[in-house]
Amino acid sequence: MSTLSEISSVDEWQQLLTSLPSSTLLIASFHAPWAAPCAQMATVLSTLASEYPVTEPPSTKWVSINAEDLSDISETYDVTAVPFLVLIRGGQVLETVSGSSAVKVRTAIERHAQAPEAPAASTTGPSASLAAIMNGDVAPQKEETPVDPETAKKELFKRLEELVKAAPVMLFMKGTPSGPQCGFSRQMVAMLREHSVKYGFFNILADDEVRQGLKEYAEWPTYPQLWIGGELVGGLDIVKEELSNDADFFKPYSVAAEADKTTAA
């Protein structure tokens, strides 16, 4: 069975791209250690990979990439949020999937990969891990069924609750820190950098479901939004006001504070 392996350097990634046969489907999963949904996606992909046999030449290749440590690769594929899946064959991007929907990920992979061989008949049902993933929304949907709006909203709010807690300081912005797409987001990034704040970010332009849903979840209609400890601080004006009232407002979340904690430990 196939397995999910970690890419540790840009050179290793380039070597992989040049060595894979043009017929092989490369499944690349971009992740970040602070994003809780990425751990779940790793489990999903590992389980899916196990369904595909190892062949010669390989029909599929499954890898994961730290989007922050290997930012050059991330920028090549316009990775603006994690989890983020890129499907590649023959050096060409076939499809990308942003977000943590296991159904979307599995559907995209099955669309481009040769269907895995059917397992031998079993009277005990699927393995425990596969059954857990299937119950967790990985099983392929044979037909589109109407979604209850209230249920969909609850699921979205659950996802948003995880996102705002993905890092101690989370910035929901237009664009990325290296490429802000509005003046307010640019100013917020500059302010965080000025105070050496260690933070996670989410590009709301890459996911309209989050973009619209977070406005209602937060009861805050504009972006950027800064969250600390899972609680909304506010937009640019509010953050500036907090700093004017307390010059050390960001001090507990600075890189220096993180270093002190590590030293003390």
Side-chain angles (χ1 to χ4, degrees):
M1 65 181 183
S2 299
T3 56
L4 183 67
S5 58
E6 185 77 16
I7 295 294
S8 58
S9 68
V10 174
D11 288 342
E12 183 181 354
W13 172 252
Q14 293 297 337
Q15 184 178 0
L16 175 64
L17 290 179
T18 55
S19 63
L20 278 181
S22 59
S23 60
T24 301
L25 177 67
L26 175 58
I27 299 104
S29 174
F30 289 84
H31 65 89
W34 49 263
C38 291
Q40 178 184 347
M41 184 54 61
T43 302
V44 169
L45 290 172
S46 294
T47 303
L48 289 176
S50 69
E51 297 180 357
Y52 289 80
V54 176
T55 60
E56 189 58 44
S59 60
T60 59
K61 178 65 176 178
W62 306 68
V63 300
S64 60
I65 301 169
N66 188 313
E68 293 182 333
D69 290 349
L70 302 179
S71 58
D72 288 346
I73 304 176
S74 302
E75 291 178 7
T76 300
Y77 296 97
D78 294 324
V79 177
T80 54
V82 289
F84 191 87
L85 193 75
V86 181
L87 303 181
I88 304 168
R89 179 180 282 123
Q92 300 298 314
V93 175
L94 304 177
E95 187 173 351
T96 61
V97 181
S98 178
S100 56
S101 170
V103 170
K104 290 181 180 179
V105 165
R106 179 163 193 161
T107 300
I109 292 171
E110 291 184 342
R111 183 180 298 120
H112 299 286
Q114 184 178 4
E117 296 177 359
S122 171
T123 57
T124 59
S127 66
S129 60
L130 182 56
I133 297 298
M134 290 172 66
N135 291 335
D137 200 29
V138 147
Q141 295 176 320
K142 301 300 182 182
E143 298 178 1
E144 291 292 333
T145 54
V147 178
D148 175 59
E150 191 61 31
T151 300
K153 182 177 178 179
K154 287 182 180 178
E155 291 179 353
L156 174 59
F157 274 28
K158 182 179 179 181
R159 180 187 172 199
L160 294 174
E161 182 180 5
E162 293 175 348
L163 280 175
V164 300
K165 296 178 181 177
V169 179
M170 277 295 293
L171 174 62
F172 292 83
M173 62 179 293
K174 293 181 179 180
T176 65
S178 59
Q181 295 189 29
C182 81
F184 293 134
S185 292
R186 185 177 295 105
Q187 290 182 59
M188 185 76 85
V189 168
M191 192 181 304
L192 293 171
R193 286 176 175 169
E194 180 184 350
H195 291 83
S196 301
V197 177
K198 185 176 182 180
Y199 66 99
F201 75 92
F202 189 99
N203 178 9
I204 53 96
L205 298 180
D207 192 322
D208 197 58
E209 186 178 50
V210 171
R211 180 182 185 179
Q212 300 301 330
L214 191 59
K215 293 179 182 179
E216 182 178 0
Y217 179 82
E219 297 182 353
W220 193 271
T222 60
Y223 292 101
Q225 292 182 14
L226 190 71
W227 294 69
I228 294 182
E231 299 291 333
L232 175 67
V233 177
L236 182 64
D237 289 345
I238 299 298
V239 174
K240 285 182 175 179
E241 184 178 340
E242 292 286 356
L243 280 171
S244 66
N245 293 332
D246 179 8
D248 293 330
F249 178 71
F250 280 133
K251 189 174 182 179
Y253 312 102
S254 67
V255 174
E258 286 290 322
D260 289 342
K261 290 179 183 177
T262 303
T263 303

